[in-house]
């Protein structure tokens, strides 16, 4: 069942849990994300990032995501991740995406407000939910997978709680992506999350909050973040890292006798599915499955 970003985040709000948002730029990741939602009974967000278009073009992966979500027994949202161009957002919404993120975090504040408001109007006309980002994670989602480091090293700017209040009121966004110490890509050392930033944003605003750069965070910090108002956690890098390692092991064991379609895709799918299942259960934060 395909539902709206607002509705899937209200399920998270009602249950004090977070919904996993998995990037799915390969059939293995897409199948793993849907199977985990169907098998666990927890809702999942299937995300396509604009920056992944060279590997997974929207016009091919987008209709596949929408069709599979529509016919699934699981509760799913099909979401556009880190979109920087409104024309690209229009294409995704027009093919049936039910949520979109406008990422204006790299723009001067007033330009971020103006473009996020345009995105809000566009999403409203498709009855889709809108996520926007304030502050900056530093590292980009489509950057190299080992780009992350720490929030300080990647030039992150934490979300300002007072500015967040104004930003939400002026843009009409539905959910807010916050920068509070996570980064995209691989961490070098332990991430240090600033829960005060989250708590202050949440005290001033009642919108669901989003953690980007969700992989590599400890289970304890996931739970603390959820209890502080995080309702959507974006997770991708560590899943594909583990899948890559599993493929490497397979090649090491079987030498040159590895078939791409059968051996490699199966081991990648199984590794992604097991890892996605693990995080979905942590993000549920004790809530019962829906189905
Ligand atoms: P990771 O790189 O930590 O998996 O985060 C993914 C993400 O935030 C996508 O928007």
């Amino acid at each position: 069942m395909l539902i709206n970003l607002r509705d899937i985040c209200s399920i998270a709000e009602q249950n004090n849990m977070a919904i996993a948002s998995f990037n799915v730029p390969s059939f293995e990741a897409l199948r793993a994300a849907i199977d985990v939602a169907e098998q666990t009974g927890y809702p999942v967000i299937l995300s396509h990032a604009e920056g992944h278009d060279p590997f997974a073009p929207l016009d091919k992966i987008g209709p596949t995501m929408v069709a599979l979500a529509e016919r699934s027994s699981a509760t799913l949202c099909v979401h556009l991740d880190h979109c920087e161009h409104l024309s690209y957002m229009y294409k995704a919404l027009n093919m049936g995406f039910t949520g979109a993120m406008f990422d204006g975090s790299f723009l001067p504040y007033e330009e971020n407000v103006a473009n996020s408001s345009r995105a809000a109007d566009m999403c409203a006309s498709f009855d889709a939910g809108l996520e926007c980002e304030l502050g900056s994670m530093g590292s980009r989602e489509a950057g190299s997978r080992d780009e992350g480091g720490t929030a300080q090293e990647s030039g992150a700017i934490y979300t300002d709680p007072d500015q967040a209040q104004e930003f939400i009121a002026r843009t009409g966004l539905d959910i807010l992506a916050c920068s509070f110490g996570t980064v995209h890509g691989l961490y070098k050392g332990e991430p240090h999350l600033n829960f005060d930033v989250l708590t202050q944003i949440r005290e001033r605003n009642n919108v669901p909050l989003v953690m980007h750069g969700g992989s590599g965070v400890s289970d304890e910090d996931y739970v603390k973040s959820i209890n502080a108002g995080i309702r959507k956690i974006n997770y991708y890098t560590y899943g594909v890292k583990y899948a890559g390692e599993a493929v490497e092991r397979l090649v090491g064991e079987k030498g040159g006798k590895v078939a791409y379609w059968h051996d490699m895709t199966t081991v990648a799918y199984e590794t992604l599915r097991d890892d996605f299942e693990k995080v979905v259960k942590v993000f549920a934060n004790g809530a019962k499955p829906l189905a």
Side-chain angles (χ1 to χ4, degrees), residues 23 81-82 141 145 183-185 212-215 234-237:
N23 289 103
D81 190 28
H82 290 284
E141 159 49 33
R145 284 288 113 206
V183 292
H184 292 116
H212 280 250
S215 47
N234 287 23
Y235 182 98
Y236 174 57
T237 299

Side-chain angles (χ1 to χ4, degrees), residues 77-100:
C77 164
V78 174
H79 182 64
L80 180 62
D81 190 28
H82 290 284
C83 177
E84 297 180 5
H85 301 95
L86 293 174
S87 54
Y88 194 88
M89 185 177 285
Y90 183 83
K91 272 205 242 167
L93 295 172
N94 206 30
M95 61 176 68
F97 278 47
T98 54

Side-chain angles (χ1 to χ4, degrees), residues 11-247:
I11 296 173
E13 203 65 80
Q14 283 154 24
N15 292 284
N16 190 35
M17 64 184 285
I19 311 288
S21 175
F22 297 121
N23 289 103
V24 292
S26 67
F27 180 65
E28 289 69 42
L30 179 56
R31 184 180 162 208
I34 294 173
D35 285 355
V36 164
E38 289 176 354
Q39 285 157 16
T40 62
Y42 290 114
V44 160
I45 298 170
L46 309 174
S47 280
H48 167 74
E50 183 180 358
H52 293 176
D53 201 85
F55 323 106
L58 176 64
D59 60 350
K60 305 284 190 310
I61 197 89
T64 314
M65 291 163 71
V66 171
L68 292 178
E70 275 171 348
R71 72 180 61 172
S72 171
S73 59
T75 301
L76 299 165
C77 164
V78 174
H79 182 64
L80 180 62
D81 190 28
H82 290 284
C83 177
E84 297 180 5
H85 301 95
L86 293 174
S87 54
Y88 194 88
M89 185 177 285
Y90 183 83
K91 272 205 242 167
L93 295 172
N94 206 30
M95 61 176 68
F97 278 47
T98 54
M101 173 196 194
F102 178 74
D103 180 0
S105 59
F106 58 98
L107 296 170
Y109 178 67
E110 286 301 327
E111 267 182 68
N112 190 3
V113 171
N115 283 305
S116 298
S117 310
R118 283 189 201 110
D121 291 342
M122 195 191 289
C123 283
S125 69
F126 285 94
D127 192 29
L130 177 69
E131 171 183 349
C132 297
E133 180 167 332
L134 184 65
S136 170
M137 307 269 308
S139 57
R140 315 290 294 157
E141 159 49 33
S144 131
R145 284 288 113 206
D146 56 4
E147 196 175 71
T150 63
Q152 285 71 25
E153 278 168 9
S154 51
I157 301 164
Y158 288 172
T159 306
D160 176 328
D162 290 324
Q163 200 177 40
Q165 197 170 10
E166 202 220 35
F167 187 67
I168 292 167
R170 288 180 66 193
T171 55
L173 59 79
D174 296 299
I175 65 175
L176 179 70
C178 306
S179 170
F180 63 105
T182 57
V183 292
H184 292 116
L186 297 176
Y187 286 95
K188 294 180 193 134
E190 290 288 300
H192 296 290
L193 308 194
N194 187 330
F195 295 102
D196 284 348
V197 169
L198 263 193
T199 308
Q200 286 177 38
I201 298 171
R202 185 71 175 180
E203 273 167 11
R204 292 166 174 72
N205 307 283
N206 209 13
V207 297
L209 305 179
V210 184
M211 176 197 282
H212 280 250
S215 47
V217 172
S218 68
D219 287 1
E220 197 192 343
D221 280 355
Y222 284 136
V223 169
K224 274 197 197 166
S225 305
I226 294 166
N227 290 337
I230 289 289
R231 298 292 169 240
K232 170 175 177 280
I233 300 181
N234 287 23
Y235 182 98
Y236 174 57
T237 299
Y238 277 56
V240 283
K241 169 179 140 64
Y242 300 142
E245 287 166 358
V247 169

